[in-house]
Amino acid sequence: MKERTAGTNPGGGSRTGRNLPAAIAVGLGLGALVLISLYTVKELFLLVVVAAVGVGVMELVRAFAARGIHVPGVPVLAGLVTMQAAAYWGGGVWLLGTFVVFAFVLLVWRMFTGGTDGYVRDASASVFLLFYPALLAGFVALLLAPPDGSHRVVVFIAVTVASDTGGYAAGVLFGRHPMSVISPKKTWEGFAGSVVACTAVGAWLVTWLLGGAWWQGALLGALAAVLATAGDLIESMIKRDLGIKDLGTILPGHGGLMDRLDSLVATLLPVWLLLALFV
């Protein structure tokens, strides 16, 4: 959930400080890419995921390097690709096993590339990036693998986008009470907007696309709103610790890809789990 309190932007543009037309155009373009790949050849969507998360990984690698934390991009990216394939064709056990293998690879890799100074720091950061976002992104493949996997992925993306959109709108219109010192421009009013939007979208799509009960979709949506907000705050913590505003500039009006993926990766596991239980 990325909303902002209402106010005037001295530099012009929207009241939130975002380039809103550019943000909408980018969002529509990404949405079209997702839907076309999902409903033509599902494996193409996996390539889209790998490309997007791979860029996000490299944004984090560069941000860490600016603070003297060295993460080797090549093995992390190799782990990302392998975990996607393992999850899609092998399932959850293969996803977990691949993660463990590449975590060990990263520990050994650091032994031979940087000496003893900073080993714990660099190795910990490397395994962290292998988990966040690479391992979490593997749950996209688990969502996609069943025959109705395309619908499941649409539900996952839609409820997460609803969190962002509902929080943004409610925060601009009604935001008065900051949620957290971590990200003081996020408000409780915006969070309420996220919950309402996610619950409504979840109830609608789970019944329409997957044949589930409305209350199952509503529960999924409400949980997604909470975790999308948590994912956004986690990303804010990372950026505050690294002393940066955005992790990149690749998406006009949005920032870096990880600035868009933070809520998505946080909601993946619970959405996958609830859909596996309900559908």
Short mmCIF file of all heavy atoms in Angstrom, two decimals, residues 80-148:
data_model
loop_
_atom_site.label_atom_id
_atom_site.label_comp_id
_atom_site.label_asym_id
_atom_site.label_seq_id
_atom_site.Cartn_x
_atom_site.Cartn_y
_atom_site.Cartn_z
N LEU A 80 17.32 -17.46 -8.55
CA LEU A 80 15.98 -16.99 -8.92
C LEU A 80 15.41 -17.81 -10.07
O LEU A 80 14.29 -18.31 -10.00
CB LEU A 80 16.03 -15.51 -9.30
CG LEU A 80 14.81 -14.93 -10.02
CD1 LEU A 80 13.60 -14.93 -9.11
CD2 LEU A 80 15.11 -13.53 -10.53
N VAL A 81 16.19 -17.96 -11.14
CA VAL A 81 15.73 -18.70 -12.31
C VAL A 81 15.47 -20.16 -11.96
O VAL A 81 14.43 -20.74 -12.33
CB VAL A 81 16.77 -18.60 -13.45
CG1 VAL A 81 16.37 -19.50 -14.62
CG2 VAL A 81 16.91 -17.16 -13.92
N THR A 82 16.39 -20.76 -11.23
CA THR A 82 16.26 -22.18 -10.89
C THR A 82 15.08 -22.43 -9.97
O THR A 82 14.35 -23.42 -10.12
CB THR A 82 17.55 -22.69 -10.24
OG1 THR A 82 18.67 -22.37 -11.09
CG2 THR A 82 17.50 -24.20 -10.05
N MET A 83 14.84 -21.53 -9.02
CA MET A 83 13.71 -21.71 -8.12
C MET A 83 12.38 -21.57 -8.84
O MET A 83 11.43 -22.29 -8.52
CB MET A 83 13.81 -20.72 -6.95
CG MET A 83 14.86 -21.11 -5.92
SD MET A 83 14.81 -20.10 -4.41
CE MET A 83 15.46 -18.55 -5.01
N GLN A 84 12.29 -20.67 -9.80
CA GLN A 84 11.06 -20.56 -10.58
C GLN A 84 10.78 -21.87 -11.34
O GLN A 84 9.66 -22.38 -11.33
CB GLN A 84 11.15 -19.40 -11.58
CG GLN A 84 11.01 -18.03 -10.96
CD GLN A 84 9.60 -17.72 -10.50
OE1 GLN A 84 8.64 -18.25 -11.03
NE2 GLN A 84 9.47 -16.87 -9.50
N ALA A 85 11.80 -22.39 -12.00
CA ALA A 85 11.63 -23.64 -12.74
C ALA A 85 11.31 -24.80 -11.81
O ALA A 85 10.44 -25.62 -12.09
CB ALA A 85 12.90 -23.93 -13.55
N ALA A 86 12.02 -24.87 -10.68
CA ALA A 86 11.81 -25.97 -9.73
C ALA A 86 10.39 -25.94 -9.17
O ALA A 86 9.73 -26.98 -9.03
CB ALA A 86 12.83 -25.87 -8.59
N ALA A 87 9.89 -24.74 -8.85
CA ALA A 87 8.54 -24.63 -8.29
C ALA A 87 7.49 -24.98 -9.34
O ALA A 87 6.51 -25.67 -9.04
CB ALA A 87 8.32 -23.21 -7.76
N TYR A 88 7.67 -24.52 -10.56
CA TYR A 88 6.65 -24.72 -11.60
C TYR A 88 6.57 -26.18 -12.01
O TYR A 88 5.48 -26.73 -12.16
CB TYR A 88 6.98 -23.84 -12.81
CG TYR A 88 5.92 -23.87 -13.88
CD1 TYR A 88 4.66 -23.30 -13.66
CD2 TYR A 88 6.16 -24.46 -15.12
CE1 TYR A 88 3.69 -23.32 -14.65
CE2 TYR A 88 5.19 -24.48 -16.11
CZ TYR A 88 3.96 -23.91 -15.87
OH TYR A 88 2.99 -23.93 -16.84
N TRP A 89 7.71 -26.83 -12.22
CA TRP A 89 7.70 -28.21 -12.69
C TRP A 89 7.87 -29.25 -11.58
O TRP A 89 7.58 -30.41 -11.80
CB TRP A 89 8.79 -28.41 -13.75
CG TRP A 89 8.39 -27.85 -15.08
CD1 TRP A 89 7.47 -28.36 -15.94
CD2 TRP A 89 8.89 -26.66 -15.71
NE1 TRP A 89 7.36 -27.57 -17.08
CE2 TRP A 89 8.22 -26.52 -16.96
CE3 TRP A 89 9.83 -25.70 -15.36
CZ2 TRP A 89 8.47 -25.47 -17.84
CZ3 TRP A 89 10.08 -24.65 -16.23
CH2 TRP A 89 9.41 -24.55 -17.45
N GLY A 90 8.29 -28.82 -10.40
CA GLY A 90 8.53 -29.78 -9.33
C GLY A 90 7.66 -29.60 -8.10
O GLY A 90 7.43 -30.56 -7.36
N GLY A 91 7.21 -28.37 -7.82
CA GLY A 91 6.37 -28.13 -6.66
C GLY A 91 7.14 -27.51 -5.50
O GLY A 91 8.32 -27.15 -5.60
N GLY A 92 6.45 -27.42 -4.37
CA GLY A 92 6.99 -26.72 -3.21
C GLY A 92 8.25 -27.33 -2.63
O GLY A 92 9.15 -26.61 -2.17
N VAL A 93 8.33 -28.66 -2.61
CA VAL A 93 9.52 -29.32 -2.05
C VAL A 93 10.75 -28.96 -2.87
O VAL A 93 11.83 -28.68 -2.32
CB VAL A 93 9.31 -30.84 -2.00
CG1 VAL A 93 10.60 -31.55 -1.61
CG2 VAL A 93 8.20 -31.19 -1.01
N TRP A 94 10.61 -28.95 -4.18
CA TRP A 94 11.73 -28.59 -5.05
C TRP A 94 12.10 -27.12 -4.88
O TRP A 94 13.29 -26.77 -4.95
CB TRP A 94 11.40 -28.91 -6.50
CG TRP A 94 11.60 -30.35 -6.82
CD1 TRP A 94 10.69 -31.36 -6.67
CD2 TRP A 94 12.78 -30.96 -7.34
NE1 TRP A 94 11.23 -32.55 -7.05
CE2 TRP A 94 12.52 -32.34 -7.48
CE3 TRP A 94 14.03 -30.47 -7.71
CZ2 TRP A 94 13.47 -33.23 -7.95
CZ3 TRP A 94 14.99 -31.36 -8.20
CH2 TRP A 94 14.70 -32.72 -8.31
N LEU A 95 11.12 -26.26 -4.67
CA LEU A 95 11.41 -24.86 -4.43
C LEU A 95 12.25 -24.69 -3.17
O LEU A 95 13.28 -24.00 -3.17
CB LEU A 95 10.10 -24.07 -4.30
CG LEU A 95 10.22 -22.61 -3.86
CD1 LEU A 95 11.04 -21.79 -4.85
CD2 LEU A 95 8.83 -21.99 -3.67
N LEU A 96 11.84 -25.35 -2.08
CA LEU A 96 12.58 -25.24 -0.83
C LEU A 96 13.98 -25.84 -0.96
O LEU A 96 14.96 -25.26 -0.50
CB LEU A 96 11.81 -25.96 0.28
CG LEU A 96 12.49 -25.99 1.66
CD1 LEU A 96 12.74 -24.59 2.17
CD2 LEU A 96 11.64 -26.79 2.64
N GLY A 97 14.07 -27.02 -1.60
CA GLY A 97 15.36 -27.65 -1.76
C GLY A 97 16.32 -26.81 -2.58
O GLY A 97 17.52 -26.69 -2.24
N THR A 98 15.82 -26.18 -3.64
CA THR A 98 16.66 -25.32 -4.47
C THR A 98 17.14 -24.11 -3.69
O THR A 98 18.30 -23.68 -3.82
CB THR A 98 15.90 -24.88 -5.73
OG1 THR A 98 15.40 -26.02 -6.40
CG2 THR A 98 16.79 -24.08 -6.66
N PHE A 99 16.27 -23.55 -2.87
CA PHE A 99 16.67 -22.42 -2.03
C PHE A 99 17.83 -22.80 -1.11
O PHE A 99 18.81 -22.06 -0.98
CB PHE A 99 15.49 -21.92 -1.21
CG PHE A 99 15.87 -20.93 -0.14
CD1 PHE A 99 16.17 -19.62 -0.47
CD2 PHE A 99 15.93 -21.32 1.19
CE1 PHE A 99 16.54 -18.71 0.51
CE2 PHE A 99 16.29 -20.42 2.18
CZ PHE A 99 16.60 -19.11 1.84
N VAL A 100 17.73 -23.94 -0.46
CA VAL A 100 18.78 -24.38 0.46
C VAL A 100 20.10 -24.57 -0.28
O VAL A 100 21.17 -24.16 0.20
CB VAL A 100 18.35 -25.67 1.19
CG1 VAL A 100 19.51 -26.23 2.01
CG2 VAL A 100 17.14 -25.41 2.09
N VAL A 101 20.04 -25.19 -1.45
CA VAL A 101 21.25 -25.41 -2.24
C VAL A 101 21.92 -24.08 -2.57
O VAL A 101 23.15 -23.91 -2.39
CB VAL A 101 20.93 -26.20 -3.52
CG1 VAL A 101 22.13 -26.17 -4.48
CG2 VAL A 101 20.56 -27.63 -3.18
N PHE A 102 21.15 -23.11 -3.06
CA PHE A 102 21.75 -21.84 -3.47
C PHE A 102 22.17 -21.00 -2.27
O PHE A 102 23.11 -20.20 -2.38
CB PHE A 102 20.81 -21.07 -4.38
CG PHE A 102 20.95 -21.46 -5.82
CD1 PHE A 102 20.18 -22.48 -6.36
CD2 PHE A 102 21.88 -20.83 -6.64
CE1 PHE A 102 20.32 -22.85 -7.69
CE2 PHE A 102 22.02 -21.20 -7.97
CZ PHE A 102 21.25 -22.22 -8.50
N ALA A 103 21.50 -21.15 -1.13
CA ALA A 103 21.96 -20.47 0.08
C ALA A 103 23.36 -20.97 0.45
O ALA A 103 24.26 -20.17 0.79
CB ALA A 103 20.99 -20.71 1.23
N PHE A 104 23.58 -22.27 0.35
CA PHE A 104 24.90 -22.83 0.64
C PHE A 104 25.92 -22.37 -0.40
O PHE A 104 27.08 -22.05 -0.07
CB PHE A 104 24.83 -24.36 0.66
CG PHE A 104 26.10 -25.01 1.12
CD1 PHE A 104 26.48 -24.98 2.46
CD2 PHE A 104 26.93 -25.66 0.22
CE1 PHE A 104 27.66 -25.57 2.88
CE2 PHE A 104 28.10 -26.26 0.63
CZ PHE A 104 28.47 -26.21 1.96
N VAL A 105 25.51 -22.31 -1.67
CA VAL A 105 26.39 -21.81 -2.73
C VAL A 105 26.85 -20.39 -2.41
O VAL A 105 28.03 -20.04 -2.57
CB VAL A 105 25.67 -21.85 -4.09
CG1 VAL A 105 26.44 -21.03 -5.14
CG2 VAL A 105 25.52 -23.29 -4.57
N LEU A 106 25.94 -19.56 -1.95
CA LEU A 106 26.29 -18.17 -1.62
C LEU A 106 27.27 -18.10 -0.46
O LEU A 106 28.19 -17.26 -0.46
CB LEU A 106 25.04 -17.37 -1.30
CG LEU A 106 24.17 -17.02 -2.51
CD1 LEU A 106 22.81 -16.49 -2.05
CD2 LEU A 106 24.86 -15.98 -3.38
N LEU A 107 27.10 -18.95 0.54
CA LEU A 107 28.04 -18.97 1.67
C LEU A 107 29.43 -19.35 1.21
O LEU A 107 30.43 -18.77 1.64
CB LEU A 107 27.54 -19.93 2.75
CG LEU A 107 26.20 -19.59 3.41
CD1 LEU A 107 25.85 -20.64 4.46
CD2 LEU A 107 26.23 -18.20 4.04
N VAL A 108 29.51 -20.35 0.34
CA VAL A 108 30.81 -20.78 -0.18
C VAL A 108 31.39 -19.73 -1.12
O VAL A 108 32.60 -19.44 -1.09
CB VAL A 108 30.68 -22.15 -0.89
CG1 VAL A 108 31.99 -22.55 -1.55
CG2 VAL A 108 30.23 -23.23 0.10
N TRP A 109 30.55 -19.16 -1.98
CA TRP A 109 30.98 -18.14 -2.93
C TRP A 109 31.71 -17.01 -2.22
O TRP A 109 32.78 -16.56 -2.65
CB TRP A 109 29.77 -17.63 -3.68
CG TRP A 109 30.04 -16.70 -4.84
CD1 TRP A 109 30.50 -15.41 -4.78
CD2 TRP A 109 29.84 -16.99 -6.23
NE1 TRP A 109 30.60 -14.87 -6.04
CE2 TRP A 109 30.20 -15.82 -6.95
CE3 TRP A 109 29.38 -18.10 -6.93
CZ2 TRP A 109 30.11 -15.75 -8.34
CZ3 TRP A 109 29.28 -18.02 -8.31
CH2 TRP A 109 29.66 -16.86 -9.01
N ARG A 110 31.10 -16.54 -1.12
CA ARG A 110 31.70 -15.41 -0.40
C ARG A 110 33.04 -15.79 0.22
O ARG A 110 33.93 -14.93 0.40
CB ARG A 110 30.72 -14.92 0.68
CG ARG A 110 31.22 -13.78 1.55
CD ARG A 110 31.64 -12.56 0.75
NE ARG A 110 32.12 -11.50 1.61
CZ ARG A 110 33.33 -11.47 2.16
NH1 ARG A 110 34.20 -12.45 1.92
NH2 ARG A 110 33.69 -10.45 2.93
N MET A 111 33.26 -17.06 0.54
CA MET A 111 34.53 -17.50 1.11
C MET A 111 35.70 -17.21 0.18
O MET A 111 36.81 -16.91 0.63
CB MET A 111 34.49 -19.01 1.39
CG MET A 111 33.64 -19.42 2.57
SD MET A 111 33.46 -21.22 2.68
CE MET A 111 35.19 -21.72 2.73
N PHE A 112 35.45 -17.28 -1.13
CA PHE A 112 36.54 -17.19 -2.09
C PHE A 112 36.57 -15.85 -2.85
O PHE A 112 37.36 -15.70 -3.78
CB PHE A 112 36.43 -18.33 -3.11
CG PHE A 112 36.60 -19.69 -2.49
CD1 PHE A 112 35.48 -20.48 -2.22
CD2 PHE A 112 37.84 -20.17 -2.16
CE1 PHE A 112 35.63 -21.73 -1.63
CE2 PHE A 112 38.00 -21.42 -1.57
CZ PHE A 112 36.89 -22.20 -1.31
N THR A 113 35.74 -14.90 -2.45
CA THR A 113 35.68 -13.65 -3.22
C THR A 113 35.94 -12.40 -2.40
O THR A 113 36.09 -11.32 -3.00
CB THR A 113 34.30 -13.50 -3.89
OG1 THR A 113 33.26 -13.55 -2.90
CG2 THR A 113 34.07 -14.59 -4.93
N GLY A 114 36.02 -12.49 -1.09
CA GLY A 114 36.16 -11.24 -0.34
C GLY A 114 36.98 -11.31 0.93
O GLY A 114 36.99 -10.34 1.68
N GLY A 115 37.64 -12.39 1.20
CA GLY A 115 38.39 -12.47 2.43
C GLY A 115 37.50 -12.66 3.65
O GLY A 115 36.28 -12.85 3.54
N THR A 116 38.10 -12.55 4.82
CA THR A 116 37.35 -12.81 6.05
C THR A 116 36.61 -11.58 6.56
O THR A 116 35.56 -11.70 7.20
CB THR A 116 38.30 -13.30 7.16
OG1 THR A 116 39.35 -12.34 7.35
CG2 THR A 116 38.92 -14.65 6.77
N ASP A 117 37.13 -10.39 6.29
CA ASP A 117 36.49 -9.17 6.78
C ASP A 117 35.12 -9.00 6.12
O ASP A 117 35.00 -9.00 4.89
CB ASP A 117 37.35 -7.95 6.48
CG ASP A 117 38.62 -7.91 7.33
OD1 ASP A 117 38.66 -8.62 8.34
OD2 ASP A 117 39.55 -7.16 6.96
N GLY A 118 34.10 -8.85 6.94
CA GLY A 118 32.76 -8.63 6.42
C GLY A 118 32.07 -9.87 5.91
O GLY A 118 31.03 -9.77 5.26
N TYR A 119 32.60 -11.05 6.24
CA TYR A 119 31.99 -12.28 5.71
C TYR A 119 30.55 -12.44 6.19
O TYR A 119 29.65 -12.71 5.39
CB TYR A 119 32.81 -13.50 6.11
CG TYR A 119 32.17 -14.81 5.68
CD1 TYR A 119 32.32 -15.28 4.39
CD2 TYR A 119 31.37 -15.54 6.57
CE1 TYR A 119 31.71 -16.46 3.98
CE2 TYR A 119 30.76 -16.72 6.18
CZ TYR A 119 30.93 -17.18 4.88
OH TYR A 119 30.32 -18.33 4.48
N VAL A 120 30.33 -12.29 7.49
CA VAL A 120 28.98 -12.49 8.03
C VAL A 120 28.03 -11.46 7.43
O VAL A 120 26.90 -11.80 7.04
CB VAL A 120 28.99 -12.40 9.57
CG1 VAL A 120 27.57 -12.40 10.12
CG2 VAL A 120 29.79 -13.55 10.16
N ARG A 121 28.47 -10.22 7.32
CA ARG A 121 27.63 -9.15 6.76
C ARG A 121 27.23 -9.48 5.32
O ARG A 121 26.06 -9.46 4.96
CB ARG A 121 28.40 -7.84 6.80
CG ARG A 121 27.70 -6.65 6.16
CD ARG A 121 28.72 -5.56 5.85
NE ARG A 121 29.70 -6.02 4.87
CZ ARG A 121 30.95 -5.55 4.78
NH1 ARG A 121 31.36 -4.60 5.61
NH2 ARG A 121 31.77 -6.02 3.86
N ASP A 122 28.22 -9.77 4.48
CA ASP A 122 27.95 -10.01 3.06
C ASP A 122 27.18 -11.31 2.84
O ASP A 122 26.26 -11.36 2.01
CB ASP A 122 29.26 -10.04 2.27
CG ASP A 122 29.99 -8.71 2.29
OD1 ASP A 122 29.36 -7.70 2.64
OD2 ASP A 122 31.19 -8.69 1.96
N ALA A 123 27.55 -12.36 3.55
CA ALA A 123 26.86 -13.64 3.38
C ALA A 123 25.41 -13.54 3.84
O ALA A 123 24.50 -14.07 3.20
CB ALA A 123 27.59 -14.74 4.14
N SER A 124 25.18 -12.84 4.93
CA SER A 124 23.80 -12.68 5.43
C SER A 124 22.97 -11.89 4.43
O SER A 124 21.81 -12.23 4.15
CB SER A 124 23.81 -11.97 6.78
OG SER A 124 24.53 -12.72 7.75
N ALA A 125 23.53 -10.81 3.89
CA ALA A 125 22.80 -10.01 2.91
C ALA A 125 22.52 -10.82 1.65
O ALA A 125 21.46 -10.70 1.04
CB ALA A 125 23.60 -8.76 2.56
N SER A 126 23.46 -11.68 1.25
CA SER A 126 23.27 -12.50 0.06
C SER A 126 22.12 -13.48 0.23
O SER A 126 21.26 -13.63 -0.65
CB SER A 126 24.57 -13.26 -0.27
OG SER A 126 25.64 -12.36 -0.52
N VAL A 127 22.09 -14.17 1.38
CA VAL A 127 21.00 -15.11 1.64
C VAL A 127 19.68 -14.37 1.80
O VAL A 127 18.62 -14.85 1.39
CB VAL A 127 21.32 -15.97 2.88
CG1 VAL A 127 20.14 -16.89 3.23
CG2 VAL A 127 22.57 -16.82 2.64
N PHE A 128 19.75 -13.17 2.38
CA PHE A 128 18.54 -12.35 2.50
C PHE A 128 17.94 -12.06 1.13
O PHE A 128 16.72 -12.20 0.92
CB PHE A 128 18.88 -11.04 3.22
CG PHE A 128 17.74 -10.05 3.25
CD1 PHE A 128 16.66 -10.24 4.08
CD2 PHE A 128 17.75 -8.92 2.43
CE1 PHE A 128 15.60 -9.34 4.11
CE2 PHE A 128 16.71 -8.01 2.45
CZ PHE A 128 15.63 -8.22 3.29
N LEU A 129 18.77 -11.67 0.15
CA LEU A 129 18.26 -11.39 -1.19
C LEU A 129 17.80 -12.66 -1.89
O LEU A 129 16.89 -12.61 -2.73
CB LEU A 129 19.31 -10.69 -2.04
CG LEU A 129 19.62 -9.24 -1.69
CD1 LEU A 129 20.42 -8.58 -2.81
CD2 LEU A 129 18.36 -8.44 -1.44
N LEU A 130 18.41 -13.79 -1.57
CA LEU A 130 17.94 -15.05 -2.15
C LEU A 130 16.53 -15.38 -1.64
O LEU A 130 15.73 -15.98 -2.37
CB LEU A 130 18.90 -16.18 -1.80
CG LEU A 130 18.63 -17.52 -2.46
CD1 LEU A 130 18.88 -17.45 -3.97
CD2 LEU A 130 19.49 -18.62 -1.84
N PHE A 131 16.26 -14.95 -0.41
CA PHE A 131 14.91 -15.14 0.14
C PHE A 131 13.95 -14.04 -0.32
O PHE A 131 12.85 -14.31 -0.80
CB PHE A 131 14.96 -15.16 1.67
CG PHE A 131 13.61 -15.11 2.33
CD1 PHE A 131 12.81 -16.23 2.39
CD2 PHE A 131 13.14 -13.91 2.86
CE1 PHE A 131 11.55 -16.18 2.98
CE2 PHE A 131 11.89 -13.84 3.46
CZ PHE A 131 11.09 -14.98 3.51
N TYR A 132 14.41 -12.79 -0.17
CA TYR A 132 13.59 -11.61 -0.47
C TYR A 132 14.29 -10.78 -1.53
O TYR A 132 15.30 -10.14 -1.21
CB TYR A 132 13.38 -10.78 0.79
CG TYR A 132 12.62 -9.49 0.56
CD1 TYR A 132 11.24 -9.46 0.72
CD2 TYR A 132 13.27 -8.31 0.20
CE1 TYR A 132 10.53 -8.28 0.52
CE2 TYR A 132 12.57 -7.14 0.00
CZ TYR A 132 11.21 -7.12 0.16
OH TYR A 132 10.51 -5.96 -0.03
N PRO A 133 13.86 -10.88 -2.79
CA PRO A 133 12.56 -11.38 -3.23
C PRO A 133 12.59 -12.73 -3.96
O PRO A 133 11.53 -13.21 -4.37
CB PRO A 133 12.14 -10.30 -4.21
CG PRO A 133 13.43 -9.90 -4.86
CD PRO A 133 14.49 -10.01 -3.80
N ALA A 134 13.77 -13.35 -4.16
CA ALA A 134 13.86 -14.46 -5.11
C ALA A 134 13.02 -15.68 -4.69
O ALA A 134 12.24 -16.21 -5.49
CB ALA A 134 15.32 -14.87 -5.29
N LEU A 135 13.18 -16.16 -3.44
CA LEU A 135 12.39 -17.31 -3.00
C LEU A 135 10.90 -16.99 -2.99
O LEU A 135 10.08 -17.79 -3.46
CB LEU A 135 12.84 -17.76 -1.61
CG LEU A 135 11.95 -18.83 -0.95
CD1 LEU A 135 12.02 -20.14 -1.70
CD2 LEU A 135 12.31 -19.01 0.51
N LEU A 136 10.54 -15.84 -2.44
CA LEU A 136 9.12 -15.48 -2.37
C LEU A 136 8.49 -15.44 -3.76
O LEU A 136 7.33 -15.83 -3.94
CB LEU A 136 8.96 -14.14 -1.66
CG LEU A 136 9.32 -14.13 -0.17
CD1 LEU A 136 9.20 -12.72 0.40
CD2 LEU A 136 8.47 -15.11 0.61
N ALA A 137 9.26 -14.99 -4.75
CA ALA A 137 8.73 -14.95 -6.12
C ALA A 137 8.45 -16.35 -6.65
O ALA A 137 7.65 -16.51 -7.58
CB ALA A 137 9.72 -14.24 -7.04
N GLY A 138 9.09 -17.38 -6.09
CA GLY A 138 8.83 -18.74 -6.52
C GLY A 138 7.39 -19.18 -6.31
O GLY A 138 6.92 -20.10 -6.99
N PHE A 139 6.69 -18.51 -5.40
CA PHE A 139 5.30 -18.88 -5.16
C PHE A 139 4.39 -18.44 -6.31
O PHE A 139 3.26 -18.92 -6.42
CB PHE A 139 4.82 -18.31 -3.82
CG PHE A 139 5.36 -19.07 -2.65
CD1 PHE A 139 6.56 -18.72 -2.06
CD2 PHE A 139 4.68 -20.17 -2.14
CE1 PHE A 139 7.08 -19.43 -0.99
CE2 PHE A 139 5.18 -20.89 -1.07
CZ PHE A 139 6.39 -20.53 -0.49
N VAL A 140 4.88 -17.55 -7.18
CA VAL A 140 4.14 -17.26 -8.41
C VAL A 140 4.04 -18.52 -9.25
O VAL A 140 2.98 -18.85 -9.80
CB VAL A 140 4.84 -16.14 -9.21
CG1 VAL A 140 4.17 -15.99 -10.58
CG2 VAL A 140 4.78 -14.83 -8.47
N ALA A 141 5.16 -19.25 -9.37
CA ALA A 141 5.16 -20.48 -10.15
C ALA A 141 4.23 -21.52 -9.54
O ALA A 141 3.56 -22.27 -10.26
CB ALA A 141 6.58 -21.04 -10.26
N LEU A 142 4.19 -21.59 -8.21
CA LEU A 142 3.28 -22.54 -7.56
C LEU A 142 1.81 -22.15 -7.82
O LEU A 142 0.96 -23.02 -7.99
CB LEU A 142 3.55 -22.58 -6.06
CG LEU A 142 4.90 -23.13 -5.62
CD1 LEU A 142 5.02 -23.12 -4.10
CD2 LEU A 142 5.13 -24.54 -6.15
N LEU A 143 1.53 -20.86 -7.83
CA LEU A 143 0.18 -20.41 -8.16
C LEU A 143 -0.17 -20.74 -9.61
O LEU A 143 -1.31 -21.12 -9.92
CB LEU A 143 0.06 -18.89 -7.98
CG LEU A 143 -0.21 -18.34 -6.59
CD1 LEU A 143 -0.11 -16.81 -6.61
CD2 LEU A 143 -1.59 -18.75 -6.08
N LEU A 144 0.80 -20.62 -10.49
CA LEU A 144 0.55 -20.77 -11.92
C LEU A 144 0.43 -22.21 -12.37
O LEU A 144 -0.22 -22.50 -13.38
CB LEU A 144 1.69 -20.09 -12.69
CG LEU A 144 1.56 -19.95 -14.20
CD1 LEU A 144 0.37 -19.07 -14.56
CD2 LEU A 144 2.85 -19.37 -14.78
N ALA A 145 1.04 -23.14 -11.64
CA ALA A 145 1.15 -24.53 -12.10
C ALA A 145 -0.18 -25.26 -12.30
O ALA A 145 -0.32 -26.01 -13.27
CB ALA A 145 2.03 -25.31 -11.14
N PRO A 146 -1.21 -25.12 -11.46
CA PRO A 146 -2.47 -25.85 -11.67
C PRO A 146 -3.16 -25.45 -12.97
O PRO A 146 -2.82 -24.42 -13.57
CB PRO A 146 -3.32 -25.45 -10.45
CG PRO A 146 -2.36 -24.95 -9.44
CD PRO A 146 -1.24 -24.32 -10.22
N PRO A 147 -4.12 -26.26 -13.43
CA PRO A 147 -4.84 -25.91 -14.67
C PRO A 147 -5.50 -24.54 -14.63
O PRO A 147 -5.58 -23.86 -15.66
CB PRO A 147 -5.88 -27.03 -14.78
CG PRO A 147 -5.27 -28.19 -14.05
CD PRO A 147 -4.50 -27.59 -12.91
N ASP A 148 -5.98 -24.12 -13.46
CA ASP A 148 -6.59 -22.79 -13.34
C ASP A 148 -5.59 -21.77 -12.81
O ASP A 148 -5.98 -20.73 -12.25
CB ASP A 148 -7.82 -22.84 -12.43
CG ASP A 148 -7.47 -23.27 -11.00
OD1 ASP A 148 -6.32 -23.69 -10.76
OD2 ASP A 148 -8.36 -23.20 -10.13
#
